[in-house]
Amino acid sequence: MATDQKPTMKTLFTLPIAPSGSQPGGTLTCTTPFSPSSDSPVQSRIYILTLSSPPDNRLTPPLITALLRALDTLEFSPEYPPGVVITTSSLPKFFSNGLDLTHALSDPSFLPFSLYPLFRRYLTYPMPTIALLNGHAFAGGLMLAMHMDYRIMNPSRGFACVNELDFGVPLKPAMSAIFRSKCTPGVYRSLVLEAHRFGGGEAKEAGIVDATGGLQEVIQFVQEKKLTEKGKTGIYGLMKMEMYRETVEGYLTAEGHEREEERVRRIVEGEKERKEKGRSTREVKEGLSKL
């Protein structure tokens, strides 16, 4: 398929994204590049999942459910042969602005039984996956993209950023794990300890994304790497399970989450005790200096 002109797209299915809290909901649409002269609607074996949940594609439970349903449909429905799954957004400004923090912080089941299963599904999906970052990918939005195999980013609009530092919410172990796995230590530091905003070109130089461009560049990327062929043997997902086993088994399961939460709780308690002891010691010293 030529990439010097915008491809004709055929809609394969559409799923609703129900409202959630302050988020109004929207739709997830699966399309494929289509040649009218072909008898098959999926001859390209390129499946594009487009999120449209204004204003910024927050990762709410209904949006996560829609993504999981779409991934299941493409894997298990016989009319869709193995290919490549591209995830992107119809919203010009945002790929995803991350979590709905109000919900995420108030629902203890959200991380282990909603968000992490989505991360795990993408990280071990039995076909190549690509995040097309058309706009901002902040916090959880960038984390979602990092669990895909490849990332291609708009060169002129949007930033990739982990900005939890700015609003005082520590990264959970599973969230840090994917950056440790896929980023160099220096880039990891810039993302997490500086909340640095990477534009498309800088993100490519840092290795956060694999290329810059839009849909045409993604299709060319797929063709150059022959990615539609990679899932045919049936072991692509198994290869990724082994490749990322520390993250998959250690963090993205309910058991791993519970274990890590307990570890973090002990760290937080120890830090609280250390600070209280430090303040107490200082008060004693100040009191003695006045004698």
Side-chain angles (χ1 to χ4, degrees), residues 2 14 32 42 46 52 61 90 95-96 103 119 122 142 157 163 181 192 217-218 267 283:
T14 299
T32 188
V42 292
I46 296 174
S52 182
S90 70
F95 171 75
S96 172
H103 177 84
F119 287 172
Y122 267 110
L142 180 57
R157 181 178 60 216
N163 56 345
S181 176
V192 175
E217 287 74 22
V218 174
I267 291 173
E283 290 171 357

PDB file of all heavy atoms in Angstrom, residues 2 14 32 42 46 52 61 90 95-96 103 119 122 142 157 163 181 192 217-218 267 283:
ATOM      1  N   ALA A   2       0.648   2.130  -0.916  1.00  0.00           N
ATOM      2  CA  ALA A   2       1.443   3.348  -1.009  1.00  0.00           C
ATOM      3  C   ALA A   2       1.187   4.234   0.189  1.00  0.00           C
ATOM      4  O   ALA A   2       0.096   4.277   0.734  1.00  0.00           O
ATOM      5  CB  ALA A   2       1.105   4.097  -2.296  1.00  0.00           C
ATOM      6  N   THR A  14     -17.248  -0.308  16.285  1.00  0.00           N
ATOM      7  CA  THR A  14     -17.219   0.826  17.220  1.00  0.00           C
ATOM      8  C   THR A  14     -17.748   0.362  18.566  1.00  0.00           C
ATOM      9  O   THR A  14     -18.754  -0.361  18.629  1.00  0.00           O
ATOM     10  CB  THR A  14     -18.061   1.999  16.698  1.00  0.00           C
ATOM     11  OG1 THR A  14     -17.526   2.441  15.449  1.00  0.00           O
ATOM     12  CG2 THR A  14     -18.053   3.165  17.680  1.00  0.00           C
ATOM     13  N   THR A  32      -9.389   0.195   9.475  1.00  0.00           N
ATOM     14  CA  THR A  32      -8.261  -0.407   8.780  1.00  0.00           C
ATOM     15  C   THR A  32      -8.069   0.276   7.443  1.00  0.00           C
ATOM     16  O   THR A  32      -9.051   0.685   6.810  1.00  0.00           O
ATOM     17  CB  THR A  32      -8.486  -1.925   8.571  1.00  0.00           C
ATOM     18  OG1 THR A  32      -7.285  -2.524   8.052  1.00  0.00           O
ATOM     19  CG2 THR A  32      -9.626  -2.205   7.631  1.00  0.00           C
ATOM     20  N   VAL A  42      -9.947  -6.460   5.421  1.00  0.00           N
ATOM     21  CA  VAL A  42      -8.802  -6.376   6.330  1.00  0.00           C
ATOM     22  C   VAL A  42      -7.531  -6.857   5.628  1.00  0.00           C
ATOM     23  O   VAL A  42      -6.666  -7.475   6.241  1.00  0.00           O
ATOM     24  CB  VAL A  42      -9.060  -7.189   7.628  1.00  0.00           C
ATOM     25  CG1 VAL A  42     -10.144  -6.545   8.447  1.00  0.00           C
ATOM     26  CG2 VAL A  42      -9.406  -8.637   7.313  1.00  0.00           C
ATOM     27  N   ILE A  46      -3.743  -4.159   9.290  1.00  0.00           N
ATOM     28  CA  ILE A  46      -3.390  -3.040  10.170  1.00  0.00           C
ATOM     29  C   ILE A  46      -4.675  -2.568  10.830  1.00  0.00           C
ATOM     30  O   ILE A  46      -5.606  -2.141  10.136  1.00  0.00           O
ATOM     31  CB  ILE A  46      -2.729  -1.894   9.389  1.00  0.00           C
ATOM     32  CG1 ILE A  46      -1.397  -2.357   8.793  1.00  0.00           C
ATOM     33  CG2 ILE A  46      -2.519  -0.689  10.291  1.00  0.00           C
ATOM     34  CD1 ILE A  46      -0.746  -1.333   7.883  1.00  0.00           C
ATOM     35  N   SER A  52     -11.890   8.347  21.320  1.00  0.00           N
ATOM     36  CA  SER A  52     -12.553   9.649  21.246  1.00  0.00           C
ATOM     37  C   SER A  52     -13.397   9.821  22.491  1.00  0.00           C
ATOM     38  O   SER A  52     -14.594   9.530  22.510  1.00  0.00           O
ATOM     39  CB  SER A  52     -13.426   9.742  19.987  1.00  0.00           C
ATOM     40  OG  SER A  52     -14.033  11.013  19.902  1.00  0.00           O
ATOM     41  N   PRO A  61     -12.344   3.571  34.015  1.00  0.00           N
ATOM     42  CA  PRO A  61     -12.701   2.158  33.853  1.00  0.00           C
ATOM     43  C   PRO A  61     -13.473   1.866  32.565  1.00  0.00           C
ATOM     44  O   PRO A  61     -13.171   0.862  31.894  1.00  0.00           O
ATOM     45  CB  PRO A  61     -13.531   1.863  35.109  1.00  0.00           C
ATOM     46  CG  PRO A  61     -12.957   2.782  36.141  1.00  0.00           C
ATOM     47  CD  PRO A  61     -12.651   4.049  35.389  1.00  0.00           C
ATOM     48  N   SER A  90      -8.560  10.598  18.415  1.00  0.00           N
ATOM     49  CA  SER A  90      -9.179  11.528  17.463  1.00  0.00           C
ATOM     50  C   SER A  90      -9.093  12.966  17.959  1.00  0.00           C
ATOM     51  O   SER A  90      -9.416  13.896  17.217  1.00  0.00           O
ATOM     52  CB  SER A  90     -10.656  11.164  17.260  1.00  0.00           C
ATOM     53  OG  SER A  90     -11.408  11.456  18.430  1.00  0.00           O
ATOM     54  N   PHE A  95      -3.276  12.574  23.122  1.00  0.00           N
ATOM     55  CA  PHE A  95      -3.349  11.120  23.031  1.00  0.00           C
ATOM     56  C   PHE A  95      -4.096  10.625  24.263  1.00  0.00           C
ATOM     57  O   PHE A  95      -5.135   9.983  24.169  1.00  0.00           O
ATOM     58  CB  PHE A  95      -1.946  10.524  22.946  1.00  0.00           C
ATOM     59  CG  PHE A  95      -1.918   9.020  23.065  1.00  0.00           C
ATOM     60  CD1 PHE A  95      -2.313   8.235  22.005  1.00  0.00           C
ATOM     61  CD2 PHE A  95      -1.498   8.408  24.241  1.00  0.00           C
ATOM     62  CE1 PHE A  95      -2.292   6.837  22.116  1.00  0.00           C
ATOM     63  CE2 PHE A  95      -1.471   7.027  24.357  1.00  0.00           C
ATOM     64  CZ  PHE A  95      -1.868   6.241  23.288  1.00  0.00           C
ATOM     65  N   SER A  96      -3.570  10.936  25.434  1.00  0.00           N
ATOM     66  CA  SER A  96      -4.278  10.694  26.697  1.00  0.00           C
ATOM     67  C   SER A  96      -3.629  11.526  27.784  1.00  0.00           C
ATOM     68  O   SER A  96      -2.395  11.606  27.859  1.00  0.00           O
ATOM     69  CB  SER A  96      -4.244   9.222  27.098  1.00  0.00           C
ATOM     70  OG  SER A  96      -4.777   9.050  28.410  1.00  0.00           O
ATOM     71  N   HIS A 103     -11.012   9.336  40.774  1.00  0.00           N
ATOM     72  CA  HIS A 103     -11.464   7.945  40.816  1.00  0.00           C
ATOM     73  C   HIS A 103     -10.318   7.015  41.211  1.00  0.00           C
ATOM     74  O   HIS A 103     -10.492   6.127  42.057  1.00  0.00           O
ATOM     75  CB  HIS A 103     -12.026   7.521  39.462  1.00  0.00           C
ATOM     76  CG  HIS A 103     -12.430   6.081  39.421  1.00  0.00           C
ATOM     77  ND1 HIS A 103     -13.653   5.647  39.866  1.00  0.00           N
ATOM     78  CD2 HIS A 103     -11.758   4.960  39.028  1.00  0.00           C
ATOM     79  CE1 HIS A 103     -13.731   4.333  39.738  1.00  0.00           C
ATOM     80  NE2 HIS A 103     -12.591   3.904  39.231  1.00  0.00           N
ATOM     81  N   PHE A 119      -2.441  -2.624  31.092  1.00  0.00           N
ATOM     82  CA  PHE A 119      -1.000  -2.563  30.843  1.00  0.00           C
ATOM     83  C   PHE A 119      -0.459  -3.943  30.478  1.00  0.00           C
ATOM     84  O   PHE A 119       0.321  -4.099  29.532  1.00  0.00           O
ATOM     85  CB  PHE A 119      -0.269  -2.044  32.080  1.00  0.00           C
ATOM     86  CG  PHE A 119      -0.429  -0.576  32.348  1.00  0.00           C
ATOM     87  CD1 PHE A 119       0.061  -0.023  33.531  1.00  0.00           C
ATOM     88  CD2 PHE A 119      -1.059   0.273  31.447  1.00  0.00           C
ATOM     89  CE1 PHE A 119      -0.055   1.342  33.782  1.00  0.00           C
ATOM     90  CE2 PHE A 119      -1.204   1.634  31.703  1.00  0.00           C
ATOM     91  CZ  PHE A 119      -0.694   2.168  32.873  1.00  0.00           C
ATOM     92  N   TYR A 122      -1.507  -5.117  26.879  1.00  0.00           N
ATOM     93  CA  TYR A 122      -0.701  -4.529  25.808  1.00  0.00           C
ATOM     94  C   TYR A 122       0.730  -5.072  25.835  1.00  0.00           C
ATOM     95  O   TYR A 122       1.307  -5.382  24.786  1.00  0.00           O
ATOM     96  CB  TYR A 122      -0.667  -3.003  25.935  1.00  0.00           C
ATOM     97  CG  TYR A 122      -1.740  -2.309  25.136  1.00  0.00           C
ATOM     98  CD1 TYR A 122      -2.818  -1.678  25.758  1.00  0.00           C
ATOM     99  CD2 TYR A 122      -1.671  -2.250  23.746  1.00  0.00           C
ATOM    100  CE1 TYR A 122      -3.797  -1.026  25.027  1.00  0.00           C
ATOM    101  CE2 TYR A 122      -2.654  -1.593  23.003  1.00  0.00           C
ATOM    102  CZ  TYR A 122      -3.700  -0.984  23.644  1.00  0.00           C
ATOM    103  OH  TYR A 122      -4.676  -0.338  22.912  1.00  0.00           O
ATOM    104  N   LEU A 142       1.232   8.340  28.953  1.00  0.00           N
ATOM    105  CA  LEU A 142       2.532   7.892  28.481  1.00  0.00           C
ATOM    106  C   LEU A 142       2.820   6.471  28.962  1.00  0.00           C
ATOM    107  O   LEU A 142       3.401   5.671  28.229  1.00  0.00           O
ATOM    108  CB  LEU A 142       3.627   8.849  28.955  1.00  0.00           C
ATOM    109  CG  LEU A 142       5.053   8.495  28.528  1.00  0.00           C
ATOM    110  CD1 LEU A 142       5.177   8.389  27.016  1.00  0.00           C
ATOM    111  CD2 LEU A 142       6.050   9.514  29.073  1.00  0.00           C
ATOM    112  N   ARG A 157       3.503  18.720  17.649  1.00  0.00           N
ATOM    113  CA  ARG A 157       2.474  19.029  18.643  1.00  0.00           C
ATOM    114  C   ARG A 157       2.455  17.949  19.715  1.00  0.00           C
ATOM    115  O   ARG A 157       2.466  16.759  19.413  1.00  0.00           O
ATOM    116  CB  ARG A 157       1.088  19.118  17.986  1.00  0.00           C
ATOM    117  CG  ARG A 157      -0.038  19.465  18.964  1.00  0.00           C
ATOM    118  CD  ARG A 157      -1.373  19.591  18.237  1.00  0.00           C
ATOM    119  NE  ARG A 157      -1.737  18.357  17.580  1.00  0.00           N
ATOM    120  CZ  ARG A 157      -2.360  18.301  16.400  1.00  0.00           C
ATOM    121  NH1 ARG A 157      -2.645  19.405  15.746  1.00  0.00           N
ATOM    122  NH2 ARG A 157      -2.665  17.136  15.865  1.00  0.00           N
ATOM    123  N   ASN A 163       4.411  13.645  34.940  1.00  0.00           N
ATOM    124  CA  ASN A 163       4.363  14.862  35.758  1.00  0.00           C
ATOM    125  C   ASN A 163       3.811  14.632  37.160  1.00  0.00           C
ATOM    126  O   ASN A 163       3.361  15.567  37.811  1.00  0.00           O
ATOM    127  CB  ASN A 163       3.538  15.942  35.052  1.00  0.00           C
ATOM    128  CG  ASN A 163       2.124  15.486  34.700  1.00  0.00           C
ATOM    129  OD1 ASN A 163       1.818  14.298  34.720  1.00  0.00           O
ATOM    130  ND2 ASN A 163       1.272  16.434  34.373  1.00  0.00           N
ATOM    131  N   SER A 181      12.430  -0.468  32.542  1.00  0.00           N
ATOM    132  CA  SER A 181      12.636  -1.504  31.544  1.00  0.00           C
ATOM    133  C   SER A 181      12.951  -0.943  30.167  1.00  0.00           C
ATOM    134  O   SER A 181      13.763  -1.505  29.434  1.00  0.00           O
ATOM    135  CB  SER A 181      11.380  -2.395  31.466  1.00  0.00           C
ATOM    136  OG  SER A 181      11.498  -3.362  30.445  1.00  0.00           O
ATOM    137  N   VAL A 192      11.140  11.163  35.572  1.00  0.00           N
ATOM    138  CA  VAL A 192      10.542  10.980  36.893  1.00  0.00           C
ATOM    139  C   VAL A 192      10.968  12.065  37.881  1.00  0.00           C
ATOM    140  O   VAL A 192      10.137  12.584  38.639  1.00  0.00           O
ATOM    141  CB  VAL A 192      10.895   9.582  37.435  1.00  0.00           C
ATOM    142  CG1 VAL A 192      10.387   9.413  38.862  1.00  0.00           C
ATOM    143  CG2 VAL A 192      10.291   8.500  36.535  1.00  0.00           C
ATOM    144  N   GLU A 217       3.289   7.832   8.264  1.00  0.00           N
ATOM    145  CA  GLU A 217       4.599   7.372   8.706  1.00  0.00           C
ATOM    146  C   GLU A 217       4.488   6.069   9.494  1.00  0.00           C
ATOM    147  O   GLU A 217       5.383   5.219   9.420  1.00  0.00           O
ATOM    148  CB  GLU A 217       5.276   8.449   9.556  1.00  0.00           C
ATOM    149  CG  GLU A 217       5.787   9.649   8.770  1.00  0.00           C
ATOM    150  CD  GLU A 217       4.688  10.585   8.295  1.00  0.00           C
ATOM    151  OE1 GLU A 217       3.588  10.573   8.901  1.00  0.00           O
ATOM    152  OE2 GLU A 217       4.942  11.336   7.331  1.00  0.00           O
ATOM    153  N   VAL A 218       3.400   5.904  10.242  1.00  0.00           N
ATOM    154  CA  VAL A 218       3.201   4.655  10.975  1.00  0.00           C
ATOM    155  C   VAL A 218       3.037   3.494   9.994  1.00  0.00           C
ATOM    156  O   VAL A 218       3.636   2.422  10.165  1.00  0.00           O
ATOM    157  CB  VAL A 218       1.972   4.748  11.900  1.00  0.00           C
ATOM    158  CG1 VAL A 218       1.691   3.388  12.542  1.00  0.00           C
ATOM    159  CG2 VAL A 218       2.191   5.783  12.987  1.00  0.00           C
ATOM    160  N   ILE A 267       7.946   1.377  53.613  1.00  0.00           N
ATOM    161  CA  ILE A 267       8.873   2.467  53.294  1.00  0.00           C
ATOM    162  C   ILE A 267       8.315   3.806  53.766  1.00  0.00           C
ATOM    163  O   ILE A 267       9.021   4.617  54.364  1.00  0.00           O
ATOM    164  CB  ILE A 267       9.141   2.502  51.773  1.00  0.00           C
ATOM    165  CG1 ILE A 267       9.953   1.277  51.347  1.00  0.00           C
ATOM    166  CG2 ILE A 267       9.867   3.785  51.380  1.00  0.00           C
ATOM    167  CD1 ILE A 267      10.131   1.146  49.856  1.00  0.00           C
ATOM    168  N   GLU A 283      14.818  19.393  68.068  1.00  0.00           N
ATOM    169  CA  GLU A 283      14.188  20.130  69.165  1.00  0.00           C
ATOM    170  C   GLU A 283      14.985  19.976  70.452  1.00  0.00           C
ATOM    171  O   GLU A 283      15.143  20.924  71.238  1.00  0.00           O
ATOM    172  CB  GLU A 283      12.757  19.646  69.355  1.00  0.00           C
ATOM    173  CG  GLU A 283      11.822  20.062  68.221  1.00  0.00           C
ATOM    174  CD  GLU A 283      10.471  19.384  68.332  1.00  0.00           C
ATOM    175  OE1 GLU A 283      10.296  18.557  69.256  1.00  0.00           O
ATOM    176  OE2 GLU A 283       9.593  19.663  67.479  1.00  0.00           O
TER     177      GLU A 283
END
